Amino acid sequence: MRDISTNWQRGVFVTGTDTGIGKTLVSAILCRAWNATYWKPLQTGLADEDGDTPTVRDLAGLAPSRIIPPAYAFQAPLAPLAAGDLENMTVNPGRLVLPQVSGPLVVEGAGGLMVPVREDMMIVDLIGRLDLPVVLVTRSGLGTINHTLLSLEALRRRGLPVLGVVPVGPPNPGNERDIARFGKTHILFRVPQLDAITETVISGLSGHVPLLDVLQQQISQ
């Protein structure tokens, strides 16, 4: 298992147990709490939306200097491999290099761990290349224990450090307890069910997550 402490000065990789799980929301909270730099190396689905980078920028109130543009941006709402195929483009791993920035970096993945990036690479392989500790975003409700434990197992089988889990949705103490116990991990913080997601809401959440203060101290050391 790689040492988390040696990598904290660079940042974290935010991934999830599924697509649409809340990775962008959690990334915005972390960026706001740490005044971090944000990077989503692989963006798809631009035919349907503006992408996650402007969303995080606006929700976290980040200055332009705190935004790293995606290395690849594809139109189709598909995995990077499939979206790239439609545009006759293959992801070059040489472009997926950790940016050099001042302060912490929040890197957001695309979909879950086993999403194909290219024929010989999945998101979990990208995490290994970037060598950052993982924040795993999960649903809070039914089915989350199975999906979360499988994701944790996949990460640990590859020796990738897991910082902890962030459940998103209505509170479910039983699920959190079992994930922490059977997954041998920590619940870093919780994101409740939100009626609206605005910069004000993100600011409030980032200011009331006790563990983030501790983590910020670790980054600063």
Side-chain angles (χ1 to χ4, degrees):
M1 180 69 68
R2 300 171 192 176
D3 184 4
I4 291 177
S5 62
T6 61
N7 297 331
W8 252 113
Q9 297 203 6
R10 291 185 295 167
V12 296
F13 194 106
V14 178
T15 189
T17 56
D18 201 351
T19 189
I21 203 77
K23 297 186 302 297
T24 302
L25 176 58
V26 170
S27 295
I29 293 170
L30 293 174
C31 285
R32 179 78 179 204
W34 296 337
N35 190 28
T37 297
Y38 174 80
W39 184 42
K40 187 178 180 82
L42 300 163
Q43 175 69 62
T44 64
L46 291 178
D48 299 329
E49 58 183 38
D50 292 334
D52 296 327
T53 299
T55 298
V56 171
R57 178 198 64 207
D58 295 344
L59 289 177
L62 297 180
S65 61
R66 293 293 185 184
I67 294 292
I68 305 294
Y72 288 91
F74 299 113
Q75 295 300 306
L78 303 170
L81 172 61
D85 285 346
L86 292 178
E87 299 182 31
N88 296 314
M89 185 178 296
T90 300
V91 171
N92 178 0
R95 292 178 59 182
L96 302 178
V97 177
L98 206 63
Q100 297 300 310
V101 300
S102 62
L105 176 69
V106 173
V107 181
E108 181 183 349
L113 294 171
M114 298 304 178
V115 167
V117 173
R118 45 181 283 141
E119 293 291 348
D120 58 355
M121 178 187 289
M122 295 186 176
I123 290 295
V124 71
D125 301 308
L126 174 60
I127 296 173
R129 286 176 59 87
L130 298 181
D131 194 24
L132 293 176
V134 171
V135 172
L136 180 63
V137 183
T138 74
R139 290 189 175 88
S140 63
L142 184 66
T144 191
I145 295 175
N146 178 64
H147 295 158
T148 303
L149 295 184
L150 285 172
S151 295
L152 290 169
E153 182 177 311
L155 289 163
R156 288 178 174 142
R157 189 184 307 126
R158 292 164 175 80
L160 302 177
V162 179
L163 192 62
V165 171
V166 179
V168 177
N172 194 318
N175 282 349
E176 292 183 14
R177 179 199 63 221
D178 289 344
I179 286 170
R181 177 173 59 182
F182 295 115
K184 297 180 174 57
T185 190
H186 304 286
I187 304 299
L188 296 178
F189 58 95
R190 302 158 186 83
V191 179
Q193 187 76 35
L194 299 173
D195 294 328
I197 302 176
T198 65
E199 183 179 356
T200 300
V201 170
I202 295 301
S203 178
L205 289 172
S206 66
H208 293 85
V209 179
L211 188 58
L212 290 182
D213 294 335
V214 177
L215 301 181
Q216 180 63 63
Q217 292 171 10
Q218 291 179 318
I219 291 173
S220 301
Q221 289 175 355

